[in-house]
Each structure stands twice: as C-alpha cells, then as structure tokens.
Amino acid sequence: MTHCHTLIEDLRQKGYRLTPQREMIVNIIAHSESHMSADHIYHQVQERTEAVNIATVYRTLDMLVSEGLVCRTDLGGGKIVYATREHGPHMHLVCKSCHSVIDANHAPLTLLGQELSKKYKFQADLQHISIFGLCQKCQERKVNR
Amino acid sequence: MTHCHTLIEDLRQKGYRLTPQREMIVNIIAHSESHMSADHIYHQVQERTEAVNIATVYRTLDMLVSEGLVCRTDLGGGKIVYATREHGPHMHLVCKSCHSVIDANHAPLTLLGQELSKKYKFQADLQHISIFGLCQKCQERKVNR
DNA sequence: TTTACTGCAAATAATTTGCAAAACT
DNA sequence: AGTTTTGCAAATTATTTGCAGTAAA
C-alpha cells in the first residue's frame, strides 16, 4: 500500500468522508518531494480541476494537521509549508536574505531536545524546525559590499 | 550613558533624523523587560501621545532591524516580537498549545552553530531562536485526556 | 436520508504603500 | 531651504468565516 493510500485510509477510520478534493490534496502532498505552501498545493490541484476552492485547501490542511497526519512548518515571514509525516525529521536552514532553504540533518538536535526536556520540562518539536541565518552565497555577497 | 541614548546616538551617526516618534519607540523598546510586538509598542506610544500612526511604528521597526540595532523574532503564527541587542542571547521555547514563552539559556546552541557553519556553510542566527513544542502544563493536560 | 463538506463571496488581520503635508538639520 | 519623515487612507496578502447548496455514507 502506498503512502497516500495509508493517509486516506487513516482519514476514513477517523470518520472523515472521502471527497475528491481531499483525495487530490492528500495525493499532492504525499507525492511531493518537498514541503509545499497552501498556495502551491492549491495551484497543483487546479491543474487537475479548476472547480476547487482555496478555502477547501486551507480547511483540509488544517484538518490534516490537527489529525497529526501532516506537519506544518513556519519558514518565517509568514511562509507556512506542509509535508506528510513520512518526510524524515530535519532542520530547515532558511536564508533571511535570499530565502533559500537547505534541508539539514537533524542529528545535532537530539541532545538539545533532551536538555530542554530535562531543564525546562519542555517537549520540543524538533522534527521540522526552522533556523534562520545567512547561506554561503549571501555571506559572500555581504563581504563584497 | 544609558542604553537608549546609545541607540539614539547610533541612529544620528548613521544619518537618521531624530524625531519624537523615533525617540519614543526606541525608548519603549530599550526600557522593556520583554520582547514586544509592533502592536504592543504602538499602544505604549499611544499612552504618551495619540498623534502617532501605526505605519510609523512599522517603518521605524523595519529601519531599526535593518540597521541591526533591534532584533526581530518570529514566535510563530505570525507573532513577531522586537527587542534591542542588549537582550542577551537566548532561546524562546514557545508552547504551541497555550502560547506561553519560556526564555531558555542558549548555551546548548553554540555547538549547533559551529556544526551548521562547518557542514553547510550556513551562518545561523541563534541569538533569539524560537523553538516550538509543549510546555509542562500542556503535556500534562494532554495525558489527562 | 442525514449531516459533513464545499463553493462562494465577504470578512479579517497584520502589514505595506502612495502621496501630500510637516518637521528635522 | 532641502530632504527626510510622517499621517492618512487605501491597497495588499494570507487566511478565515457564514451560509446555502451539494454530495458522501
């Protein structure tokens, strides 16, 4: 059974109705290599049929997130992206100058998670964290000015 | 010389004009214990005089941030807060359930910064990072349901 | 048949912008 | 005086909501 089928089955078992809109939205997120914005997903849906409203995309994403099937990541500056839980944990290194995003290995964060839990009793959500800064290109660009 | 005077002097030396609006805004940020939102700053200004526009607050904050005198932190969900550089580096542990914020020691991040720099040539801005998760109270609340 | 779900259009909220008037230096 | 800076009101952007009609189950 492929990934999106599992997701759709999950929805069914939670008592949600399977509509074409939901099927398409889940499909698009599940088959995407990268994280996607609501708008991006909306445009992908539109390529299949124009008879889908952006409000439905937002409502479906909210539902998927609150059911824990999809995770929402805030890349800063109001940029919100979505991905299924199948996307392994990683950090998003977001360049605050050119807005490029590097997906980095999350291994260095496991220790941090333990520390935050121990010291502050805070259960940190480090699976898809965004870290802001400057990418290599933009560092060089800055030096040359 | 107090902290806000230094900031104002910095602005002068950078060629900016000193207006009452800017003086009040800098003053309010510099004397605040905590990080403040644009709206929060706007309301504080209004307590002194109503003849200041919210657009001016936004423009001044943008200017202060781009001059590197004030730092902007995205607490997620569109919540942006500002603080002067005098606020020492720390992490914001933001509870995604009750939206409370814990200011945590940033020491565990120095190693992370070094790694990101070495592996990805990414200059991470870890001075005021936001980390999302669940605070102790909300973890307990979840268990009890 | 029932009621969850959707499309539509209008509402919201936070921030930005154009422009003429005001005010630092 | 000359240019920055401001106030105002309208524009923008991303998201949400009310409601009546549609369609899964």
Side-chain angles (χ1 to χ4, degrees):
Chain A
M1 206 191 290
T2 66
H3 177 207
C4 60
H5 289 162
T6 317
L7 282 174
I8 285 167
E9 199 46 46
D10 284 346
L11 283 186
R12 266 239 182 66
Q13 280 176 9
K14 284 168 186 280
Y16 289 97
R17 292 184 182 175
L18 181 62
T19 63
Q21 291 87 335
R22 285 178 177 166
E23 193 278 333
M24 285 188 283
I25 291 167
V26 165
N27 230 284
I28 286 165
I29 303 173
H31 289 103
S32 164
E33 299 285 303
S34 58
H35 294 235
M36 303 177 83
S37 68
D39 196 60
H40 196 171
I41 292 164
Y42 173 62
H43 285 298
Q44 296 263 84
V45 172
Q46 290 236 311
E47 285 181 21
R48 305 198 193 179
T49 167
E50 305 221 337
V52 173
N53 196 274
I54 183 97
T56 301
V57 174
Y58 279 111
R59 279 187 285 226
T60 303
L61 289 172
D62 283 351
M63 182 267 284
L64 291 169
V65 170
S66 64
E67 289 299 339
L69 302 176
V70 159
C71 84
R72 165 186 273 145
T73 307
D74 191 331
L75 293 182
K79 291 263 171 292
I80 312 275
V81 292
Y82 300 86
T84 65
R85 290 264 171 225
E86 296 289 304
H87 275 265
H90 56 265
M91 300 182 236
H92 301 264
L93 306 181
V94 184
C95 178
K96 60 187 175 185
S97 179
C98 71
H99 306 108
S100 63
V101 180
I102 301 168
D103 284 1
N105 187 278
H106 87 300
L109 292 178
T110 49
L111 186 64
L112 176 64
Q114 287 163 11
E115 277 201 43
L116 296 181
S117 173
K118 194 169 54 184
K119 277 196 194 164
Y120 303 96
K121 308 291 180 197
F122 186 84
Q123 194 180 74
D125 198 356
L126 299 172
Q127 304 289 293
H128 291 264
I129 195 175
S130 296
I131 294 178
F132 305 98
L134 284 178
C135 71
Q136 188 170 17
K137 280 187 183 174
C138 290
Q139 285 169 49
E140 288 162 4
R141 203 173 300 149
K142 212 171 182 181
V143 169
N144 296 335
R145 256 188 280 136
Chain B
M1 207 191 291
T2 67
H3 176 207
C4 62
H5 289 162
T6 318
L7 281 173
I8 284 166
E9 198 46 46
D10 284 346
L11 283 185
R12 267 239 180 68
Q13 280 175 8
K14 285 167 184 284
Y16 290 98
R17 291 185 183 173
L18 181 62
T19 63
Q21 290 88 336
R22 285 178 177 166
E23 194 277 333
M24 285 189 284
I25 291 166
V26 165
N27 231 284
I28 285 165
I29 303 173
H31 288 104
S32 163
E33 298 286 303
S34 58
H35 294 236
M36 302 177 85
S37 67
D39 195 60
H40 195 170
I41 292 163
Y42 173 61
H43 284 297
Q44 297 263 83
V45 172
Q46 289 236 311
E47 285 181 19
R48 304 200 193 177
T49 166
E50 305 221 337
V52 173
N53 197 275
I54 183 97
T56 301
V57 174
Y58 279 111
R59 279 186 287 228
T60 303
L61 289 172
D62 282 351
M63 181 269 282
L64 291 169
V65 169
S66 64
E67 290 299 339
L69 302 176
V70 159
C71 84
R72 163 186 276 146
T73 305
D74 191 331
L75 294 182
K79 292 264 170 293
I80 314 272
V81 292
Y82 299 85
T84 65
R85 290 266 171 223
E86 296 289 305
H87 274 267
H90 56 266
M91 303 183 235
H92 301 264
L93 306 181
V94 184
C95 178
K96 60 187 175 184
S97 178
C98 71
H99 306 108
S100 63
V101 181
I102 301 168
D103 285 0
N105 187 278
H106 86 300
L109 292 177
T110 50
L111 186 64
L112 176 66
Q114 287 164 11
E115 277 200 42
L116 295 180
S117 173
K118 194 167 57 183
K119 279 197 193 162
Y120 303 96
K121 308 292 180 197
F122 186 85
Q123 194 180 74
D125 197 357
L126 300 173
Q127 303 290 294
H128 291 263
I129 195 176
S130 295
I131 294 179
F132 305 99
L134 283 180
C135 71
Q136 188 171 16
K137 279 187 184 173
C138 291
Q139 286 169 50
E140 289 162 5
R141 205 172 299 152
K142 212 171 182 180
V143 168
N144 296 338
R145 256 189 279 136

